[in-house]
């Protein structure tokens, strides 16, 4: 599906770890490092005021393709946590309100709300999950007329469970609540239509399924919030005309751009922009099909070894994150032994997590299964 020269390590390494840190296409990595080197060697000679003002414009173009939305609906930032924190302070649920998530969610998806709850006294409600899985009905049961926000991960990081965000957006809106989606474990691997999904906010970090670098993130903000939410984090870029530089006023842009507050490692945004373009040119649908075939192969192989798979296996809730447990074996030990054989998986909780992506091929999965067989012999 890809030119292997763009991911050279995949020639001799079965890198199955996109849910932790993905590989970046070499041309996108070059854009990022070239930008950094240019600024280091030439200062503002090339990266002038105009370039600084327009630094996110390319990301907006790719973000609009990623979430099938308007460029005005896209903002960039340094991390998923940073953008989500700014949203949490902007929404700032009140003392009698609650925020709903799951008790298996990645901490960064809920901590920004937890911090706000320390300030306002709002309640955090976490639906009960088990073995990296939380039933969507348990989540829905937590929602009531005091729910201000459902904040959840589109795909749970441990077992790869996929939620139906359209269904959750409907429930959220019936209760006048917002649906805030952390798409860090889905964007780039699963098609997401922002407007059609009904989600109010969708945020993704860069360095997992979007194959970008650390230090960048992308956000979709539904149009109805673009002139109502006052960002939690503000700086000179927050003003609608940043170079007028008057401390006496703060008029936000009437677009998602109002959430872009400060200078940052702009090369990372450019790296993310080019990684996204790379994936979008391949087609996220095609990537999803490719990844799911690899996941099927992985599941068959694990089953043939009688290894206990904890990821959901029904079509609606599955992704290419395949997580398993080998009875009587320390997962860290197995992950280490796989690494010695050039197979890169990851230990999460007490499990072994495989996460094949666009740059993997069936022989990587064969290598992983054969290596597991020899380790367990
Ligand atoms: C669902 C999810 N959200 C967020 C993060 C990390 O966010 P950040 O890069 O802002 O630390 C992770 C990392 O594993 C994740 O799995």
């Amino acid at each position: 599906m890809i030119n292997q020269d763009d991911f050279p390590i995949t020639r001799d390494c079965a890198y199955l770890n996109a849910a932790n840190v993905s590989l970046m296409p070499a041309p996108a990595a070059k854009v990022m490092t070239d930008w950094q080197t240019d600024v280091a060697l030439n200062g503002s000679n090339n990266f002038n005021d105009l370039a600084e003002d327009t630094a996110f414009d390319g990301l907006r173009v790719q973000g609009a393709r990623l979430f099938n939305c308007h460029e005005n609906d896209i903002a960039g930032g340094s991390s998923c946590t940073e953008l989500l924190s700014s949203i949490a302070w902007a929404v700032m649920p009140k003392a009698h309100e609650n925020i709903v998530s799951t008790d298996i969610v990645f901490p960064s998806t809920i901590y920004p709300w937890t911090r706000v709850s320390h300030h306002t006294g709002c309640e955090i409600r976490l639906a009960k999950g088990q073995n990296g899985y939380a039933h969507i009905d348990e989540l829905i049961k937590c929602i009531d007329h005091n729910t201000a926000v459902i904040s959840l991960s589109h795909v749970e990081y441990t077992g790869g469970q996929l939620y139906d965000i359209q269904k959750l957006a409907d429930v959220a809106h019936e209760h006048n609540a917002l649906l805030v989606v952390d798409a860090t474990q889905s964007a780039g691997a699963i098609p997401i239509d922002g407007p059609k999904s009904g989600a109010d906010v969708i945020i993704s970090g860069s360095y997992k399924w979007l194959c970008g670098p650390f230090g960048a993130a992308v956000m979709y903000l539904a149009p109805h919030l673009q002139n109502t939410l006052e960002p939690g984090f503000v700086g000179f870029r927050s003003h609608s005309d940043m170079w007028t530089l008057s401390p006496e006023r703060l008029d936000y842009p009437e677009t998602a751009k109002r959430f872009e507050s400060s200078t940052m490692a702009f090369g990372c945004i450019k790296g993310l922009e080019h990684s996204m373009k790379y994936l979008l040119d391949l087609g996220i649908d095609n990537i999803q099909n490719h990844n799911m075939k690899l996941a099927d192969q992985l599941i068959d192989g694990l089953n043939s070894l009688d290894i206990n798979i904890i990821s959901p296996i029904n079509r609606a809730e599955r992704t290419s994150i395949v997580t398993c447990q080998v009875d009587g074996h320390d997962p860290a030990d197995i992950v280490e032994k796989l690494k010695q054989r050039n197979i890169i998986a990851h230990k999460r909780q007490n499990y072994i997590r495989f996460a094949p992506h666009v740059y993997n091929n069936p022989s990587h999965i064969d290598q992983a299964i054969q290596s597991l067989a020899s380790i367990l012999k």
Side-chain angles (χ1 to χ4, degrees):
M1 149 153 242
I2 45 99
N3 178 349
Q4 236 177 355
D5 290 342
D6 295 338
F7 299 94
I9 194 184
T10 58
R11 290 188 198 289
D12 33 45
C13 172
Y15 190 87
L16 301 167
N17 201 18
N20 177 30
V21 179
S22 201
L23 303 178
M24 233 182 130
K30 184 170 180 331
V31 168
M32 176 182 66
T33 50
D34 283 356
W35 182 90
Q36 197 68 59
T37 304
D38 179 53
V39 176
L41 300 184
N42 301 303
S44 63
N45 285 353
N46 299 321
F47 191 65
N48 56 23
D49 281 3
L50 177 64
E52 192 169 338
D53 193 2
T54 56
F56 291 78
D57 287 4
L59 182 82
R60 254 181 268 293
V61 173
Q62 301 310 323
R65 292 175 71 197
L66 182 72
F67 294 125
N68 196 28
C69 63
H70 196 279
E71 288 170 29
N72 286 346
D73 307 343
I74 299 296
S78 295
S79 73
C80 173
T81 303
E82 178 201 76
L83 288 168
L84 183 57
S85 295
S86 192
I87 290 286
W89 285 108
V91 175
M92 215 188 320
K94 300 180 188 65
H96 67 282
E97 294 181 319
N98 63 71
I99 297 107
V100 171
S101 192
T102 70
D103 71 358
I104 56 161
V105 78
F106 192 78
S108 306
T109 315
I110 195 66
Y111 281 178
W113 303 103
T114 308
R115 173 66 185 89
V116 170
S117 79
H118 295 163
H119 181 70
T120 70
C122 59
E123 182 195 352
I124 304 289
R125 287 188 185 170
L126 302 181
K128 201 96 222 89
Q130 213 181 1
N131 298 337
Y133 178 87
H135 200 290
I136 191 168
D137 291 345
E138 291 300 316
L139 196 88
I140 291 172
K141 268 193 232 159
C142 294
I143 300 164
D144 65 17
H145 61 280
N146 285 326
T147 301
V149 177
I150 303 171
S151 181
L152 93 160
S153 185
H154 189 193
V155 169
E156 296 283 10
Y157 75 105
T158 303
Q161 176 192 358
L162 172 71
Y163 292 102
D164 179 344
I165 43 178
Q166 213 158 343
K167 181 171 175 175
L168 288 168
D170 288 346
V171 183
H173 297 156
E174 278 162 25
H175 292 81
N176 288 323
L178 297 176
L179 176 65
V180 177
V181 177
D182 177 346
T184 301
Q185 292 289 4
S186 60
I190 293 166
I192 302 174
D193 186 315
K196 210 163 151 194
S197 75
D200 300 284
V201 182
I202 305 174
I203 305 173
S204 177
S206 155
Y207 56 89
K208 297 186 193 283
W209 302 89
L210 286 176
C211 297
F214 284 106
V218 59
M219 174 167 80
Y220 160 81
L221 184 68
H224 72 104
L225 297 174
Q226 291 170 16
N227 53 15
T228 53
L229 282 189
E230 176 159 17
F233 298 167
V234 296
F236 86 100
R237 289 188 77 97
S238 309
H239 185 69
S240 50
D241 182 3
M242 65 186 230
W243 287 128
T244 57
L245 295 175
S246 164
E248 282 144 18
R249 83 297 179 262
L250 176 49
D251 300 327
Y252 303 105
E254 303 246 315
T255 63
K257 194 177 178 189
R258 61 173 51 203
F259 278 84
E260 291 163 6
S261 57
S262 70
T263 58
M264 61 170 290
F266 294 110
C268 297
I269 281 290
K270 296 188 183 298
L272 172 59
E273 171 197 329
H274 283 267
S275 294
M276 282 165 61
K277 180 171 184 323
Y278 186 96
L279 299 179
L280 288 159
D281 289 351
L282 290 171
I284 306 293
D285 285 21
N286 296 331
I287 293 171
Q288 184 183 33
N289 287 338
H290 168 86
N291 292 359
M292 291 312 289
K293 278 190 199 136
L294 297 179
D296 286 344
Q297 188 189 343
L298 197 44
I299 288 171
D300 288 346
L302 294 172
N303 282 336
S304 74
L305 298 175
D306 271 337
I307 290 176
N308 180 23
I309 297 168
I310 67 121
S311 298
I313 49 166
N314 66 78
R315 277 279 153 199
E317 291 181 304
R318 271 185 62 197
T319 60
S320 70
I321 295 178
V322 179
T323 303
C324 63
Q325 197 172 32
V326 187
D327 289 339
H329 288 265
D330 175 5
D333 181 50
I334 294 191
V335 166
E336 183 51 37
K337 286 183 171 139
L338 285 170
K339 188 171 181 190
Q340 287 160 8
R341 291 161 169 83
N342 264 346
I343 319 286
I344 310 300
H346 208 63
K347 173 186 176 286
R348 271 292 169 260
Q349 319 293 2
N350 225 12
Y351 308 116
I352 304 159
R353 183 180 67 184
F354 295 96
H357 199 11
V358 60
Y359 40 74
N360 292 120
N361 57 47
S363 87
H364 292 144
I365 307 295
D366 281 342
Q367 287 166 44
I369 297 299
Q370 281 162 19
S371 297
L372 270 174
S374 88
I375 292 166
L376 299 178
K377 207 164 50 196

